[in-house]
Amino acid sequence: KHLTAMALSSTLVAFLAASEVQDSWNYHPCRARCRPTALHMARKKAVPSEPAYWIDEMDNVAINDDGNNRRIKFTIRGNPKVLVRHRTARGFMYNPSKASQDLFRDCLLEALPQEYHPIIIDSGDSDSDEPTVMFPEHEFLKLSLTFRMKRPNNHFIGSKPGSGRLKPNAPQKYYNNRSGDVDNLCKFVMDSLNQVLYADDRQVVCLNAIKVLDSDGDCKGSTDVEISVLNDEDENNIM
């Protein structure tokens, strides 16, 4: 029994010594590369991330509700995203862009006056319950989109983004990078606004879109959207 107690005591001492060595390795101030501790990882995760989309206080939703000249114009802040193709996993199809589209819609609904929110009337048949929207299904629409893309860090002095820190030789307006094709940027917005502002994006028969670099403030990107009912003047300008 005495020998067994001594063996257990030696094992405990060895374990405690190894623990002290491990702790000193993790927290040693002179080591250039220490293992990340649980406390360090927790602090790193606690840093709040920037929202994908938001609306500034100065951004107002402009609405003209005058008969056939009805239109709406608004800006959603945040780097524009493309619509990712639907994917299949374990026999189920899903939309990889759903979370981003929900955030985009939530930003719009937060700024949109309550009287223009989509209204769902319960008819008892869930398959036929479609929301009443600002632009009903029988109207044909013109959609104008301006995508202001977030600038990469190397466009700024010292690679530190901020207002007034753009390099003199940074691209001024256009930049051929991998920020996404303009047609897929359009698909993201058009699909996001289904049953929010219009019944279906098939109503859009005229589309104007441009992709430029953001040069406003911190240059974090934004999407300018304008939707209007297509009128005779629009048709004459197109044709």
Side-chain angles (χ1 to χ4, degrees):
K1 292 181 179 179
H2 181 66
L3 291 176
T4 304
M6 290 181 63
L8 290 174
S9 179
S10 299
T11 303
L12 180 59
V13 170
F15 175 77
L16 292 175
S19 299
E20 291 179 359
V21 171
Q22 179 68 23
D23 290 342
S24 65
W25 200 96
N26 283 336
Y27 293 99
H28 201 292
C30 298
R31 285 191 179 271
R33 295 183 179 179
C34 294
R35 295 179 184 175
T37 62
L39 179 60
H40 173 75
M41 296 300 292
R43 287 175 177 173
K44 187 174 181 180
K45 290 181 180 179
V47 177
S49 59
E50 184 178 278
Y53 296 108
W54 69 93
I55 291 183
D56 287 346
E57 294 180 357
M58 65 183 73
D59 297 329
N60 296 320
V61 178
I63 298 176
N64 181 2
D65 204 2
D66 181 19
N68 292 330
N69 292 323
R70 288 182 300 112
R71 67 181 61 240
I72 182 172
K73 187 175 182 179
F74 59 91
T75 297
I76 303 293
R77 303 285 174 176
N79 197 28
K81 299 181 185 297
V82 300
L83 183 66
V84 182
R85 291 182 180 179
H86 283 53
R87 296 175 180 172
T88 303
R90 298 181 180 180
F92 295 94
M93 183 172 290
Y94 70 98
N95 176 13
S97 298
K98 183 181 183 304
S100 296
Q101 289 182 292
D102 288 343
L103 292 172
F104 189 91
R105 281 189 286 261
D106 289 344
C107 276
L108 171 59
L109 291 173
E110 183 180 345
L112 192 66
Q114 189 65 39
E115 60 265 31
Y116 295 102
H117 280 215
I119 301 174
I120 299 178
I121 300 176
D122 187 2
S123 64
D125 184 0
S126 59
D127 293 334
S128 63
D129 290 341
E130 294 187 356
T132 301
V133 291
M134 181 177 179
F135 301 101
E137 192 172 6
H138 67 273
E139 293 182 326
F140 298 105
L141 306 176
K142 175 184 176 181
L143 174 62
S144 298
L145 298 170
T146 300
F147 301 102
R148 306 184 191 279
M149 310 306 295
K150 180 180 180 180
R151 286 182 178 268
N153 289 347
N154 60 14
H155 284 194
F156 298 90
I157 299 172
S159 295
K160 295 181 179 180
S163 181
R165 296 186 56 84
L166 273 178
K167 293 179 179 178
N169 61 344
Q172 295 301 307
K173 196 170 185 179
Y174 304 109
Y175 184 57
N176 187 17
N177 61 359
R178 298 181 179 180
S179 58
D181 297 338
V182 69
D183 59 329
N184 289 326
L185 293 169
C186 292
K187 290 176 184 177
F188 179 93
V189 175
M190 294 174 67
D191 190 69
S192 298
L193 299 181
N194 275 334
Q195 298 190 355
V196 177
L197 291 179
Y198 43 68
D200 194 283
D201 55 11
R202 289 177 295 180
Q203 296 172 240
V204 178
V205 295
C206 179
L207 175 63
N208 295 323
I210 187 171
K211 181 179 73 170
V212 298
L213 285 169
D214 192 359
S215 299
D216 182 23
D218 291 339
C219 309
K220 294 182 178 180
S222 64
T223 303
D224 299 336
V225 182
E226 183 173 2
I227 306 173
S228 60
V229 177
L230 193 70
N231 53 39
D232 294 338
E233 183 179 352
D234 293 325
E235 292 181 7
N236 292 333
N237 291 335
I238 296 170
M239 305 300 290

